Amino acid sequence: MAVFPWHSRNRNYKAEFASCRLEAVPLEFGDYHPLKPIKVTESKTKKVTRKGSTSSTSSSSSSSMVDPLSSVLDGTDPLSMFAATADPAALAAATVMCPSHACLVILEQLMDHVLLGTDEHNHVSLQVSDTAAATLPSPLLEETASDPRLKCESTPELRSQCLKKSKLEFLRMPPLGVLVLEKSHLCDVNSFCLGRAGTAAFAMSEKVRTRLEELDDFEEGSQKELLNLTQQDYVNRIEELNQSLKDAWASDQKVKALKIVIQCSKLLSDTSVIQFYPSKFVLITDILDTFGKLVYERIFSMCVDNRSVLPDHFSPENANDTAKETCLNWFFKIASIRELIPRFYVEASILKCNKFLSKTGISECLPRLTCMIRGIGDPLVSVYARAYLCRVGMEVAPHLKESLNKNFFDFLLTFKQIHGDTVQNQLVVQGVELPSYLPLYPPAMDWIFQCISYHAPETLLTEMMERCKKLGNNALLLNSVMSAFRAEFIATRSMDFIGMIKECDESGFPKHLLFRSLGLNLALADPPESDRLQILNEAWKVITKLKNPQDYINCAEVWVEYTCKHFTKREVNTVLADVIKHMTPDRAFEDSYPQLQLIIKKVIAYFHDFSVLFSVEKFLPFLDMFQKESVRVEVCKCIMEAFIKHQQEPTKDPVILNALLHVCKTMHDSVNALTLEDEKRMLSYLINGFIKMVSFGRDFEQQLSFYVESRSMFCNLEPVLVQLIHSVNRLAMETRKVMKGNHSRKTAAFVRACVAYCFITIPSLTGIFTRLNLYLHSGQVALANQCLSQADAFFKAAISLIPEVPKMINIEGKMRPSESFLLEFLCNFFSTLLIVPDHPERGVLFLVRELLNVIQDYTWEDNSDEKIRIYTCVLHLLSAMSQETYLYHIDKVDSNDSLYGGDSKFLAENNKLCETVMAQILEHLKTLAKDEALKRQSSLGLSFFNSILAHGDLRNNKLNQLSVNLWHLAQRHGCADTRTMVKTLEYIKKRSKQPDMTHLTELALRLPLQTRT
């Protein structure tokens, strides 16, 4: 291949820069401006209405259809209609019998007309007098305080509180081994009254008796399946029943679904394994919720036809007759359940369905259901029933507060039963102590109180406090009150609550738990300023006397926040000292790391000034209790995160520096061979954040000493070393800025010390491209500070490192080819080499020559063109070096344009290198033709043509001919991009119009465009 000489084009950079500027266009100020607000004018067009159409309002004025069943349930209970056909003599007898006996008599008469079967639309319209209706029992709906499934849509605050205090408490119950769940013998009022009235003359038909047994009794097999099960097996069985309910409903087996619900509801009367009752309540009410939802959705779907859809807040008038009949039939079926508890829960689950029957149905049912709970004798069963009723009441009618208050007052009347003989005997039989029994109540009580306290006035709390004072042993009740009401209400009465806590009995419910509940409220709301110190003293008197370390730390952890929020570091130091005193003996702190971590988080959350924080005498000794490495590191991370977040100004406070260096050293020393990369990255981020916030101002030597110490402490984290190198380079540039580029002997020595720091530190890094970029960056800093020999050392180190670049590198866990990254680095390197002056003893362009040798010897990929692209960049560099004045310079550094001054020998050496590079490029293009890589050949040929056009002197005939040959090569096999070729030719023609570029006119004529055809 013929050798083509290189002749660089003389460049006038100032003129080129001026020609590239945008033309100045005079601005005409008009109405439009791009930053002016846009005004949108709305155009109103007359709406065209089709003939015969009616407006939406006209439909609302149409007369509503009279519902034939609307008069049946107006203000009455579904069961009250049974008495319409009742025999007068039977009704008269019912007045002297108990309500349940009367109910059975009416049911007997009802069954003569209605056969409860699979058809849920069978219904007979009956009427009954108000007197008879008042004697009838009715269903209840309410769910546990502890179940996070109980989400009242209108009470979002209650949901989050309930979630914390419910299922966690329920499902954290200790293992109970094998549960022996026998059939409950809780006396129902119905069976009790029937026993007393055994001589009463009434007989039920065989048909009615059979139907009631189908709906009311346990199936023998199902009952046996729930005997002698472990806790987990019991849970699994309940979940299977829930799924069976859904399957039965889906297969249109409504009676079977009702049987499943009745069977499950009966289990809520069984307290044979009393500690499992809350968990059982959660599981079974889940089934009840599913049943209630299915029934409601079925009835709702009946109200939807092809023409209309029921609104969200519909009235009974919107429901059609079919839906009402179906709803009534479901209430009739449930009313036939004999036992109180299953009848209560099943009716409660479908309480929402009263919306289809009457506007006042729910408001009338809730008080009746509240009274119905009075028939439940077991206090634990009754309190959960009340909780269930409160939940459903809040869900379907949150505005009806009367029934909620009534439930609370009824609960107060039965509260003393907890300490009565019946409960105590039951606990003795089951071997349960009172301290283990009482915690079963708070979930249900908390839910009741949360429902009552939602949007409740402050006067209600005052009334409840007065009622609580009248009760003895009211610690359990007091705890629920403090947990439910708004923190602001509790905080303003803090001293009153402290007085009530002092009067409580320690048995069953310890006082420190009450103080913990009070502390939780005071962390959310501020008490009166005059009472704050007295409150802390009264509480800490009780807390510091606790002997059990777990009880102590659980209570102290809450009050630490109160102390940090309202007092100074003196009081905080006293509290921390007391915690250390209690938790150090027998290494009790090892069992309380979570609570101790919370204490640290609360302290640093309120002390943003770290000079104050580390002046707290007991803070660092408190940190020493975290002797488990993983926990210790987590605490250190919390401290560093707070420092990075809240420290606004750089610091040089020795107290802060020493303490945080110790914290960072702790994090660093936790790194080992098994540490994950994400963890290393996180630790490095925190330590780097600390390093960036350390500044000694103009004391640069002290700053460098800090960086030297940090390098020795954090040598295992590569990102930290990288940050230190960048910080030292920045320190050198700040020194240059202060000296305005004119270094004194002292500052010159200091800058060389910074350069030496970087030169020593970089080889300890493992990332190959990290080292290359840092060598380049540090060399640029050295060059800017007139450290020429040190800059040459950096550049030579970078050149010697290039052969070590692997073909594949790991980028974010994936192996990627390294050639593109190497090309990017070398392009930056070439830009720096333009202004690096030659060493007087090493010849012309010695760094460029060494770099070209390394590039030539590097093993490139077989199908890669990166080597040729690099040679093209070298050609650009050498062309720039041949100019009389370089494009850019470094202040007080003489580049080769000043050293050689356009010397002919220098230009000859430069052109010789250009010819060598061109020969390599042309040889590669020739090789591509043999390998039939025609598309790559076309692309590289056009790229080389553009390089010659931009940097070469095309007045030289040989160079001009070479450019024409490259143009033809790019189009030879039809692989060139026609659009690019057209734009390139247009550019040449445009440049040929410039005064010194007329020779391009002839070139443009020699460059034909070849079509793809």
Side-chain angles (χ1 to χ4, degrees):
M1 179 176 290
V3 177
F4 293 90
W6 175 262
H7 294 273
S8 298
R9 180 169 66 89
N10 293 327
R11 309 285 293 273
N12 186 345
Y13 292 117
K14 291 184 179 180
E16 291 182 20
F17 180 72
S19 65
C20 292
R21 290 182 177 177
L22 298 176
E23 296 181 4
V25 179
L27 179 62
E28 296 181 2
F29 294 95
D31 293 336
Y32 171 74
H33 189 275
L35 298 181
K36 188 177 181 180
I38 300 175
K39 296 182 179 179
V40 180
T41 303
E42 181 181 359
S43 61
K44 297 183 179 180
T45 59
K46 185 176 181 180
K47 186 175 180 180
V48 180
T49 309
R50 291 181 298 173
K51 185 177 180 180
S53 63
T54 57
S55 63
S56 59
T57 57
S58 63
S59 61
S60 62
S61 62
S62 61
S63 59
S64 58
M65 183 185 303
V66 178
D67 185 2
L69 296 178
S70 59
S71 60
V72 177
L73 292 177
D74 189 14
T76 62
D77 182 84
L79 289 177
S80 63
M81 299 181 297
F82 297 168
T85 57
D87 182 62
L91 281 177
T95 57
V96 298
M97 288 187 274
C98 66
S100 297
H101 194 168
C103 177
L104 291 177
V105 174
I106 297 174
L107 284 178
E108 179 185 3
Q109 307 253 343
L110 170 69
M111 293 306 174
D112 293 335
H113 299 278
V114 180
L115 176 61
L116 295 178
T118 58
D119 182 8
E120 56 185 1
H121 303 295
N122 292 335
H123 168 66
V124 176
S125 180
L126 303 173
Q127 294 182 349
V128 69
S129 65
D130 294 339
T131 305
T135 64
L136 301 178
S138 163
L140 169 66
L141 43 137
E142 199 45 22
E143 189 150 1
T144 176
S146 56
D147 190 358
R149 299 173 288 95
L150 312 176
K151 299 178 180 178
C152 301
E153 296 179 357
S154 61
T155 59
E157 294 90 351
L158 295 184
R159 272 184 252 157
S160 58
Q161 295 177 16
C162 176
L163 178 62
K164 296 177 182 177
K165 298 180 180 180
S166 60
K167 206 152 191 176
L168 289 177
E169 295 185 22
F170 288 165
L171 300 181
R172 284 179 181 171
M173 293 294 176
L176 302 178
V178 176
L179 304 178
V180 182
L181 304 175
E182 300 176 357
K183 185 174 179 180
S184 173
H185 295 290
L186 259 174
C187 247
D188 181 47
V189 180
N190 296 337
S191 58
F192 175 75
C193 294
L194 286 174
R196 293 181 57 187
T199 59
F202 75 94
M204 300 178 63
S205 66
E206 190 64 29
K207 178 172 59 177
V208 174
R209 186 184 304 277
T210 303
R211 181 63 67 191
L212 290 179
E213 289 177 354
E214 287 182 2
L215 291 176
D216 201 24
D217 292 340
F218 269 118
E219 293 183 1
E220 195 69 24
S222 299
Q223 182 181 6
K224 291 182 178 179
E225 286 179 357
L226 294 175
L227 296 176
N228 300 323
L229 297 179
T230 63
Q231 181 171 342
Q232 186 58 47
D233 292 338
Y234 191 91
V235 172
N236 294 338
R237 177 56 183 153
I238 293 296
E239 292 177 353
E240 291 175 5
L241 287 175
N242 197 358
Q243 187 60 43
S244 300
L245 169 65
K246 297 177 183 178
D247 296 340
W249 191 273
S251 59
D252 204 27
Q253 301 181 40
K254 303 301 186 295
V255 172
K256 180 179 179 182
L258 183 58
K259 288 179 181 180
I260 294 174
V261 175
I262 294 173
Q263 293 170 22
C264 294
S265 301
K266 281 193 173 184
L267 296 175
L268 291 175
S269 62
D270 178 23
T271 57
S272 57
V273 185
I274 200 164
Q275 288 179 292
F276 186 64
Y277 191 85
S279 299
K280 178 170 63 175
F281 178 82
V282 171
L283 297 169
I284 293 176
T285 51
D286 189 19
I287 297 178
L288 291 169
D289 288 345
T290 302
F291 176 73
K293 182 180 179 181
L294 292 173
V295 173
Y296 181 84
E297 289 178 350
R298 175 173 176 80
I299 300 174
F300 187 85
S301 64
M302 294 179 179
C303 299
V304 180
D305 54 26
N306 297 328
R307 295 172 298 173
S308 63
V309 178
L310 275 183
D312 293 336
H313 303 285
F314 64 90
S315 62
E317 289 77 12
N318 299 123
N320 56 34
D321 295 346
T322 303
K324 289 184 177 182
E325 289 180 8
T326 303
C327 184
L328 283 172
N329 196 37
W330 275 111
F331 280 109
F332 293 157
K333 289 180 182 181
I334 295 169
S336 65
I337 301 173
R338 293 179 181 178
E339 294 188 13
L340 172 65
I341 291 178
R343 183 171 68 250
F344 165 79
Y345 276 105
V346 178
E347 184 179 352
S349 65
I350 66 166
L351 179 65
K352 191 176 180 181
C353 296
N354 278 287
K355 294 171 62 177
F356 297 102
L357 301 177
S358 172
K359 292 182 179 180
T360 59
I362 295 177
S363 61
E364 293 173 354
C365 284
L366 284 174
R368 178 173 54 81
L369 295 173
T370 301
C371 297
M372 193 173 178
I373 301 177
R374 297 174 181 175
I376 301 176
D378 192 303
L380 183 64
V381 177
S382 66
V383 74
Y384 276 95
R386 296 186 190 282
Y388 187 57
L389 181 60
C390 290
R391 198 278 293 178
V392 177
M394 289 296 293
E395 182 179 3
V396 300
H399 59 284
L400 298 177
K401 294 287 187 178
E402 293 79 6
S403 62
L404 299 177
N405 296 336
K406 191 174 182 181
N407 269 288
F408 169 69
F409 297 140
D410 284 355
F411 169 72
L412 290 182
L413 293 175
T414 61
F415 182 75
K416 294 182 180 180
Q417 290 182 355
I418 297 176
H419 302 278
D421 294 339
T422 303
V423 174
Q424 297 299 324
N425 294 336
Q426 185 182 16
L427 297 181
V428 171
V429 171
Q430 297 194 27
V432 178
E433 298 292 335
L434 188 62
S436 300
Y437 173 70
L438 290 181
L440 302 178
Y441 284 85
M445 294 171 58
D446 289 348
W447 182 260
I448 296 173
F449 282 111
Q450 287 165 13
C451 291
I452 294 173
S453 62
Y454 180 69
H455 288 172
E458 196 169 358
T459 54
L460 180 61
L461 175 60
T462 304
E463 180 182 357
M464 287 193 174
M465 291 176 64
E466 293 299 326
R467 288 178 177 267
C468 290
K469 289 179 182 179
K470 298 178 181 178
L471 295 175
N473 298 332
N474 60 350
L476 191 64
L477 190 62
L478 192 61
N479 185 69
S480 295
V481 171
M482 288 190 292
S483 301
F485 278 87
R486 292 175 55 186
E488 293 81 1
F489 296 169
I490 304 297
T492 55
R493 296 168 171 77
S494 300
M495 293 307 301
D496 295 336
F497 276 102
I498 289 177
M500 295 174 67
I501 292 172
K502 288 182 178 180
E503 296 175 359
C504 289
D505 189 1
E506 282 280 355
S507 63
F509 204 89
K511 289 184 179 179
H512 69 86
L513 294 180
L514 298 176
F515 275 106
R516 187 178 190 278
S517 298
L518 179 61
L520 290 173
N521 283 281
L522 296 181
L524 300 174
D526 299 335
E529 188 172 357
S530 58
D531 296 338
R532 290 176 183 176
L533 183 59
Q534 185 179 359
I535 291 172
L536 179 61
N537 290 333
E538 292 292 341
W540 209 259
K541 285 179 184 177
V542 177
I543 297 171
T544 194
K545 293 179 181 178
L546 296 174
K547 302 300 182 182
N548 188 311
Q550 282 299 320
D551 293 342
Y552 171 83
I553 196 63
N554 287 333
C555 199
E557 168 257 318
V558 173
W559 283 90
V560 164
E561 183 172 4
Y562 174 80
T563 308
C564 295
K565 189 175 181 180
H566 299 294
F567 299 97
T568 63
K569 68 176 186 178
R570 176 175 171 270
E571 288 79 10
V572 174
N573 187 67
T574 303
V575 171
L576 293 181
D578 193 64
V579 173
I580 295 173
K581 176 183 176 182
H582 280 78
M583 302 307 295
T584 303
D586 300 326
R587 300 177 67 87
F589 54 80
E590 292 183 347
D591 299 325
S592 306
Y593 283 138
Q595 293 87 342
L596 296 176
Q597 282 182 267
L598 288 175
I599 291 176
I600 287 291
K601 290 180 180 179
K602 291 175 181 178
V603 171
I604 62 180
Y606 288 95
F607 285 83
H608 296 165
D609 188 346
F610 277 74
S611 60
V612 176
L613 177 63
F614 289 120
S615 65
V616 176
E617 182 182 354
K618 295 298 181 180
F619 183 75
L620 291 179
F622 190 91
L623 291 181
D624 292 336
M625 288 196 294
F626 296 96
Q627 297 189 7
K628 186 178 180 181
E629 185 182 35
S630 59
V631 179
R632 189 181 185 89
V633 171
E634 288 298 321
V635 172
C636 293
K637 287 164 66 175
C638 291
I639 295 174
M640 293 309 303
E641 287 172 355
F643 176 79
I644 294 172
K645 180 179 180 181
H646 299 296
Q647 187 71 22
Q648 303 295 330
E649 299 294 332
T651 181
K652 60 178 180 179
D653 188 333
V655 175
I656 296 178
L657 296 185
N658 291 332
L660 291 185
L661 276 174
H662 172 70
V663 171
C664 291
K665 178 65 173 174
T666 301
M667 294 192 299
H668 170 269
D669 292 345
S670 67
V671 176
N672 53 44
L674 300 179
T675 305
L676 299 176
E677 289 299 323
D678 286 345
E679 179 69 11
K680 290 181 181 179
R681 193 179 298 113
M682 182 62 182
L683 296 178
S684 299
Y685 164 76
L686 296 175
I687 296 175
N688 286 342
F690 164 63
I691 292 173
K692 292 176 184 177
M693 294 304 298
V694 175
S695 175
F696 290 89
R698 289 294 185 88
D699 192 352
F700 292 158
E701 292 183 351
Q702 184 66 29
Q703 189 82 29
L704 182 60
S705 299
F706 170 76
Y707 292 145
V708 171
E709 183 182 1
S710 299
R711 181 178 62 183
S712 64
M713 296 178 67
F714 310 126
C715 57
N716 290 333
L717 291 173
E718 185 165 313
V720 177
L721 296 179
V722 172
Q723 176 61 43
L724 289 172
I725 293 171
H726 285 305
S727 298
V728 172
N729 281 330
R730 185 173 61 251
L731 185 62
M733 295 305 293
E734 289 178 359
T735 306
R736 179 181 182 272
K737 181 179 179 181
V738 170
M739 300 303 295
K740 297 181 180 179
N742 299 313
H743 284 295
S744 64
R745 180 178 297 178
K746 183 177 181 181
T747 57
F750 175 78
V751 168
R752 286 194 293 270
C754 293
V755 171
Y757 177 101
C758 297
F759 192 79
I760 294 172
T761 309
I762 292 174
S764 63
L765 305 177
T766 57
I768 185 73
F769 281 100
T770 302
R771 281 183 282 165
L772 284 173
N773 289 314
L774 286 176
Y775 274 132
L776 178 57
H777 182 228
S778 300
Q780 293 169 347
V781 172
L783 195 62
N785 286 279
Q786 300 109 49
C787 301
L788 301 183
S789 59
Q790 287 85 352
D792 286 345
F794 278 114
F795 297 142
K796 288 181 64 177
I799 293 172
S800 63
L801 192 60
I802 291 175
E804 300 179 16
V805 176
K807 292 184 179 181
M808 304 292 290
I809 58 174
N810 191 328
I811 303 295
E812 296 182 354
K814 296 182 179 180
M815 300 304 295
R816 302 287 178 83
S818 63
E819 290 187 357
S820 60
F821 298 96
L822 182 58
L823 174 62
E824 180 184 359
F825 165 75
L826 290 175
C827 289
N828 293 332
F829 198 4
F830 295 150
S831 300
T832 303
L833 290 179
L834 174 63
I835 53 176
V836 176
D838 285 340
H839 195 282
E841 299 178 357
R842 298 188 179 180
V844 178
L845 303 176
F846 77 99
L847 287 176
V848 178
R849 293 178 184 275
E850 289 186 12
L851 184 56
L852 285 174
N853 292 333
V854 170
I855 295 172
Q856 179 65 30
D857 297 336
Y858 185 79
T859 304
W860 301 91
E861 292 288 341
D862 295 336
N863 297 324
S864 173
D865 297 324
E866 301 297 343
K867 180 179 180 180
I868 303 306
R869 292 191 174 92
I870 291 172
Y871 279 145
T872 304
C873 294
V874 172
L875 195 61
H876 301 167
L877 169 64
L878 295 174
S879 177
M881 284 182 167
S882 65
Q883 304 300 316
E884 291 185 3
T885 303
Y886 290 170
L887 180 60
Y888 46 85
H889 296 84
I890 291 181
D891 188 29
K892 296 181 176 56
V893 175
D894 293 329
S895 300
N896 286 339
D897 59 343
S898 300
L899 294 179
Y900 294 108
D903 183 70
S904 58
K905 293 182 179 180
F906 172 76
L907 295 178
E909 289 292 331
N910 189 297
N911 290 336
K912 187 176 179 180
L913 282 176
C914 289
E915 293 172 5
T916 304
V917 171
M918 288 176 61
Q920 293 290 334
I921 296 174
L922 295 173
E923 181 65 29
H924 184 75
L925 289 174
K926 184 178 179 180
T927 304
L928 291 178
K930 296 178 181 179
D931 298 339
E932 296 185 356
L934 302 179
K935 191 170 183 178
R936 290 166 53 198
Q937 185 190 53
S938 174
S939 176
L940 289 177
L942 183 60
S943 176
F944 191 24
F945 171 84
N946 290 329
S947 297
I948 296 175
L949 182 64
H951 300 281
D953 186 359
L954 292 177
R955 289 173 295 189
N956 181 273
N957 293 333
K958 290 187 176 182
L959 203 57
N960 192 299
Q961 183 61 43
L962 175 61
S963 63
V964 173
N965 294 342
L966 291 172
W967 181 269
H968 287 286
L969 178 65
Q971 300 184 97
R972 179 173 300 172
H973 301 286
C975 298
D977 185 358
T978 304
R979 177 182 292 183
T980 304
M981 303 295 286
V982 171
K983 289 185 177 180
T984 303
L985 187 57
E986 290 176 354
Y987 171 74
I988 295 173
K989 292 178 180 179
K990 183 179 180 180
R991 285 191 58 190
S992 66
K993 297 178 182 180
Q994 298 178 6
D996 56 343
M997 294 291 178
T998 55
H999 59 281
L1000 294 181
T1001 304
E1002 181 184 355
L1003 176 64
L1005 296 175
R1006 301 174 61 190
L1007 302 178
L1009 286 175
Q1010 181 179 354
T1011 62
R1012 290 186 178 275
T1013 58

